[in-house]
């Protein structure tokens, strides 16, 4: 694969306890506990609106938590939040500029995250994982939605980060690309990486399951204090 | 990989990408420049072609139209990135949101507002601006237009999640442009009437400094809240 | 902080204050209007038209005061993420906008006999007009998004940015010498206007202040109930 000798810190651990989160004026989940450590795969399942995306965005630091605690241990350090230089997040939107070629999009992403310029071979290898190698110099505006989605997924192998946050990564992928994604995830776990993925699809990688439905706030608990807005 | 140099090269990368996008097909820069040229040349038809009247209103017309051209080009400063998801990436980059806002405002100024300042003397000729006004016109635009981009950035970030937020953005930021406009036009008027433009330029520079601090902080805060 | 600022506490406090504030409003307006219209002498220069001052000056003060209230509420809302503070800003804004509009309109009516024109573009008038636009922008931002919390947060940032306008309003008459008269009441070396005019002026200012309290409390209760209704509705919808 792309970084043959890369091994992430095996001590890295991310834990959350009694987490509560509010978004769009309502409690999305409450009392959520989870733990992942180096080499783990955690899949988030649950109904629409059960807070899978919100959970990922909370881990990434976009959405503030209103209750509970997150502890991140990495390299002997303890932090109350995940360091953004340790994560790659790919959400529903693919973050590509239609007028730019895939090569320019990816190169900009690499420079944005690391400040460096990627080697062309690195870009080629990352693109080949999702069968995008021949499209590198095409403007993204001519891509199909599946190709755009794969272009977004290409970021995971392209920039070396220990923690991968994926929102619905399998949507629109054919069988070959699903297999490629599963292989990529398994390789990442073998290197000590951590993957948290929200998905409606059945498990395709061995790992833990977090069912978001069990953390739904009970009706009527949003009383006068602060949950009312 | 050390942290410090990489932050500055991330900043440069973002500035260059935004400038490339602004100048590419469908980018805002050429549209703003075109708007500037056409809107200024409408005034002789509106107020009549008498050279004295045009000379009298030339500083104000050029400043007001440059300001409007700037706002027109600003309304999607953050919105395009917000809608296609790249604002997520920018937020997770080592720059931090203040750095992101700074890079995007600088790119906007270099690609869109600076060309307006460069084109201004040509338009001043069409409006019969007296000779004494030219150096100060350019100087005032160079000092004052960063404030236009910075204050505009506040409006753009506040309306980033608003569909068709352009008109709302006008309502929010045009009142905030008043001091910049007063000092900018005041400087050119002073030069034309042979009095000292320096106090006006100093106040203009002070406005730009305040706009830098307030504009970047407010934009970063607004983007952070919009991303939730 | 959160313990003292929950809606139930607010409602209890509001219900205790409300009747007194209403009585005070009626009494102060009665006394203030009497002194303003009949119980004080006409000005030796301005004649009877000086009586506009008793409506105009307190309205201008209140326009600024309410803006500061709104900005403080906005700061609290952003710093502590407290929804009640968010609603306090929302409740204050239309009241402040109305006071500011009243100051602008009465100022124009006063300006016509005094200056011979309804409007001049001087520092004071312009900065007060900017304040009025800031109120409008704040209210427009609140209405611009479906997610009320997001809208309120954006509006709060605008309110804080607009705070730079307050010192400009206050000092504009000193910085730019123009038609608008300089400060004559709120100055370090004591007021320069006659005591017979200070009585109705302060009575009217106090009347505006309690009137603001009444309307503010009333609007707060309205906003809180609105919020509760929409939360209940979204719970019923299965969210």
């Amino acid at each position: 694969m792309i970084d043959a000798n890369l091994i992430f810190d095996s001590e890295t651990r991310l834990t959350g306890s009694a987490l509560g989160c509010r978004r769009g004026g309502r409690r999305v989940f409450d009392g959520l506990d989870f733990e992942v450590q180096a080499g783990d795969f955690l899949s988030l399942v649950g109904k629409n609106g059960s807070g899978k995306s919100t959970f990922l965005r909370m881990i990434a630091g976009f959405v503030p938590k209103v209750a509970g605690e997150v502890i991140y241990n990495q390299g002997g350090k303890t932090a109350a939040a995940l360091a953004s230089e340790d994560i790659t997040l790919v959400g529903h939107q693919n973050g590509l500029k239609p007028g730019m070629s895939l090569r320019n999009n990816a190169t900009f992403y690499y420079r944005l995250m690391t400040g460096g310029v990627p080697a062309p071979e690195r870009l080629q290898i990352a693109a080949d994982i999702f069968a995008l190698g021949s499209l590198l110099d095409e403007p993204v505006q001519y891509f199909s939605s599946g190709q755009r989605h794969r272009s977004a997924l290409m970021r995971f192998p392209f920039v070396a980060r220990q923690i991968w946050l994926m929102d619905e990564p399998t949507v629109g992928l054919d069988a070959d690309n699903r297999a490629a994604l599963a292989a990529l995830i398994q390789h990442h776990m073998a290197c000590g990486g951590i993957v948290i993925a929200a998905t409606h699809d059945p498990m395709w990688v061995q790992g833990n399951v977090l069912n978001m439905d069990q953390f739904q706030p009970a009706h009527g608990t949003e009383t006068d204090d602060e949950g009312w807005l | 990989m050390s942290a410090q140099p990489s932050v500055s090269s991330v900043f440069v990368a973002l500035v260059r990408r935004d400038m490339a996008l602004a100048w590419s097909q469908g980018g805002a820069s050429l549209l703003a420049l075109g708007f500037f040229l056409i809107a200024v040349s409408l005034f002789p038809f509106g107020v009549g072609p008498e050279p004295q009247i045009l000379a009298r209103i030339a500083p104000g017309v050029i400043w007001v139209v440059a300001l409007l051209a700037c706002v027109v080009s600003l309304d999607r400063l953050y919105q395009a990135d917000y809608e296609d998801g790249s604002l997520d990436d920018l937020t997770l980059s080592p720059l931090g949101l203040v750095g992101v806002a700074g890079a995007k405002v600088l790119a906007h100024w270099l690609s869109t507002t600076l060309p307006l300042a460069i084109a201004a003397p040509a338009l001043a000729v069409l409006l019969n601006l007296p000779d004494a006004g030219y150096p100060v016109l350019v100087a005032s635009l160079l000092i004052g237009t960063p404030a236009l981009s910075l204050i505009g950035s506040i409006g753009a970030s506040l309306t980033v999640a608003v569909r068709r937020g352009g008109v709302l953005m006008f309502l929010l930021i045009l009142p905030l442009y008043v001091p910049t406009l007063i000092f900018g036009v005041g400087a050119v008027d002073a030069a034309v009437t042979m009095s000292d433009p320096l106090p006006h330029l100093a106040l203009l520079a002070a406005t730009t400094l305040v706009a830098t601090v307030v504009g970047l902080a407010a934009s970063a805060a607004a983007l952070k809240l919009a991303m939730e | 902080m959160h313990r003292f600022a929950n809606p139930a506490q607010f409602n209890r406090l509001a219900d205790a204050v409300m009747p007194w504030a209403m009585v005070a409003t009626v009494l102060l307006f009665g006394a203030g209007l009497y002194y303003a219209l009949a119980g004080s002498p006409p000005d030796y220069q301005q004649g009877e038209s000086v009586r506009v001052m008793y409506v105009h000056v307190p309205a201008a003060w209140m326009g600024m005061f309410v803006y500061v209230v709104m900005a403080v509420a906005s700061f609290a809302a952003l710093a502590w993420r407290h929804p009640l503070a968010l609603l306090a800003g929302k409740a204050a804004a239309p009241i402040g906008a109305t006071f500011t509009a009243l100051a602008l309109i009465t100022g124009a009516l006063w300006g016509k006999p005094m200056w011979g024109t309804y409007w001049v573009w001087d520092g004071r008038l312009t900065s007060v007009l900017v304040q009025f636009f800031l109120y409008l922008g704040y209210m427009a931002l609140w209405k611009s998004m479906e997610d009320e919390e997001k809208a309120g947060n954006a509006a709060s940032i605008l309110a804080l940015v607009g705070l730079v306008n307050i010192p400009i309003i206050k000092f504009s008459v000193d910085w730019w010498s123009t038609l608008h008269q300089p400060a004559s009441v709120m100055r370090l070396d004591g007021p320069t206007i006659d005591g017979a005019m200070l009585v109705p002026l302060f009575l009217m200012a106090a009347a505006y202040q309690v009137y603001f309290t009444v309307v503010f409390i009333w609007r707060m209760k309205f906003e809180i109930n609105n919020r509760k209704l929409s939360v209940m509705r979204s719970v019923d919808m299965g969210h």
Side-chain angles (χ1 to χ4, degrees), chain A residues 22-26 64 219 222 224-229, chain C residues 6-8 83-84 86-87 147 149 227-228 231 235 239:
Chain A
R22 219 173 60 200
R23 202 179 181 193
R26 67 183 183 93
H219 281 199
E222 306 195 35
D224 273 346
D225 273 57
E226 41 94 28
W228 54 279
L229 185 105
Chain C
N6 73 49
L84 203 61
L86 214 52
L87 291 188
D147 182 343
E149 200 173 348
R227 262 327 292 176
K228 281 188 177 155
V231 166
V235 168
H239 276 299

Side-chain angles (χ1 to χ4, degrees), chain C residues 55-56 59-61 98-108 128:
Chain C
V55 181
H56 170 75
W61 287 345
T98 309
F99 279 126
T100 309
L102 184 66
L104 287 167
I105 292 167
T106 54
V128 174

Side-chain angles (χ1 to χ4, degrees), chain C:
Chain C
M1 161 82 199
H2 281 218
R3 201 160 63 83
F4 295 108
N6 73 49
Q9 291 274 8
F10 174 82
N11 278 334
R12 226 166 294 140
L13 186 70
D15 291 340
V17 172
M18 195 64 154
W20 298 102
M22 283 164 90
V23 169
T25 305
V26 172
L27 289 180
L28 282 166
F29 262 120
L33 284 173
Y34 166 76
Y35 275 102
L37 298 177
S40 62
D43 188 72
Y44 75 104
Q45 276 181 326
Q46 306 189 355
E48 298 292 345
S49 62
V50 74
R51 302 192 191 285
V52 179
M53 174 181 77
Y54 306 120
V55 181
H56 170 75
V57 172
W61 287 345
M62 288 305 292
M64 289 168 74
F65 172 77
V66 177
Y67 195 93
V68 174
V69 169
M70 188 174 91
V72 169
S74 297
F75 178 80
L78 293 175
W80 294 290
R81 305 308 296 265
H82 198 287
L84 203 61
L86 214 52
L87 291 188
K90 189 185 185 192
I95 316 175
T98 309
F99 279 126
T100 309
L102 184 66
L104 287 167
I105 292 167
T106 54
L109 295 176
W110 194 15
K112 187 65 179 167
M114 289 303 106
W115 307 336
T117 175
Y118 288 111
W119 187 264
V120 287
W121 289 98
D122 82 334
R124 172 59 67 85
L125 275 71
T126 307
S127 52
V128 174
L129 188 64
V130 166
Q131 176 177 274
F132 182 64
F133 289 144
L134 285 169
Y135 277 121
L136 292 189
Y138 177 91
M139 293 188 283
L141 259 182
W142 258 105
K143 287 198 187 306
S144 69
M145 292 174 235
E146 282 160 33
D147 182 343
E148 278 226 304
E149 200 173 348
K150 260 188 184 178
N153 287 334
S156 299
I157 293 175
L158 180 73
L160 288 175
V161 170
L163 212 47
V164 296
N165 190 46
I166 292 291
I168 297 181
I169 296 180
K170 176 77 184 87
F171 297 111
S172 54
V173 283
D174 304 325
W175 292 343
W176 293 280
S177 53
T178 58
L179 281 179
H180 198 284
Q181 58 178 323
S184 48
V185 181
M186 299 293 189
R187 42 190 298 153
L188 290 176
D189 50 356
T192 56
I193 78 172
D194 192 86
M197 292 180 176
L198 277 182
V199 173
L201 189 59
F202 281 137
L203 279 173
M204 286 300 280
Y208 277 38
Q209 194 75 53
V210 285
Y211 171 78
F212 167 70
T213 310
V214 169
V215 181
F216 179 68
I217 290 176
W218 176 70
R219 284 193 47 85
M220 274 296 281
K221 296 181 80 147
F222 174 77
E223 294 295 348
I224 290 171
N225 284 338
N226 251 359
R227 262 327 292 176
K228 281 188 177 155
L229 272 180
S230 72
V231 166
M232 280 154 72
R233 209 170 290 140
S234 79
V235 168
D236 286 347
M237 297 285 284
H239 276 299

Side-chain angles (χ1 to χ4, degrees), chain B residues 91-130:
Chain B
T91 311
L92 291 174
S93 80
L95 270 183
L97 277 172
V98 173
V100 167
K104 290 190 73 78
V105 168
L106 179 63
H108 176 264
W109 186 75
L110 288 172
S111 65
T112 306
T113 327
L114 187 60
L116 302 180
I118 294 168
L123 291 170
V125 171
L126 297 181
L127 296 179
N128 296 300
L129 183 74

Side-chain angles (χ1 to χ4, degrees), chain B residues 157-182:
Chain B
S157 58
L158 287 176
T159 56
V160 70
V162 182
R163 259 166 277 132
R164 288 205 293 269
V167 180
L168 177 60
M169 195 186 113
F170 266 72
L171 177 67
L172 300 184
I173 63 176
L174 289 185
L176 300 173
Y177 277 160
V178 169
T180 311
L181 187 60
I182 289 175

